[in-house]
Amino acid sequence: ISRELLSPGHPLDIYLFPANSARPFETLVTLGCSDKQLKAPKGLEQYRYVELVLCLPQGWPMPTAEPLAAELRWPFEALKSMVQVPRKSNSFLGHGHTIPNSEMAQLFAGTSFNCVLLDQALIGEIVLPDIHYPNGQILTFLGAFPITEKETQFKIENGHEALVTLMQSRNFFSSLVNINRPCLIET
């Protein structure tokens, strides 16, 4: 769909796998985050090379020559922004990480989401497995799950697993973005 140079020699592509009868949603996968080894700490080496996955409802408009409105463009901008985080901070991306929409955690246009939780990549109900290369390198796919400010705070206070368990109990632990889903945290 798009190509962007994050830094000299490090392009980021976002690939679209269009909806079909077996997979009735649009699937976006980054390619380029794993071009450079990320600085994962000892014991978390599987996060040295990662790519991100996000699924959108069937028919979601894709970037073309005509610019998309902000409420349709945010998933693409979020993926690009998330890939930049480990490069700017000399760190890594892994299960349980939350990445706010900008430093001020602004809402993604047209949604109640202001943050993205990274966890196992799901294509529908199928977990996307890691790829193990003969040289020992592991490519890990991480799913991007948009969450609200209250859900982010819940995760900070109770942990990643508690939020995932809550999402699963309400049938909202899906890589398919549902911009109309309610906040899972009672007020």
Side-chain angles (χ1 to χ4, degrees), residues 6-11 31-40 47-51 83 86-92 137 139:
L6 299 176
S7 59
H10 293 287
L31 180 61
C33 185
S34 63
D35 284 354
K36 181 180 176 190
Q37 180 175 305
L38 302 179
K39 190 175 182 176
Y47 301 118
R48 287 184 179 160
Y49 300 95
V50 301
E51 295 296 349
V83 168
R87 293 179 182 200
K88 289 180 178 178
S89 63
N90 197 26
S91 61
F92 73 108
Q137 181 177 322
L139 174 60

Side-chain angles (χ1 to χ4, degrees), residues 16-28 55-56 58 123-124:
L16 166 67
F17 295 90
N20 60 37
S21 60
R23 190 179 24 78
F25 44 85
E26 317 295 345
T27 304
L28 304 177
C55 299
L56 299 170
Q58 186 171 2
I123 304 296

Side-chain angles (χ1 to χ4, degrees), residues 108-121:
F108 291 112
T111 75
S112 61
F113 306 127
N114 72 336
C115 198
V116 174
L117 171 71
L118 298 178
D119 202 277
Q120 62 187 6

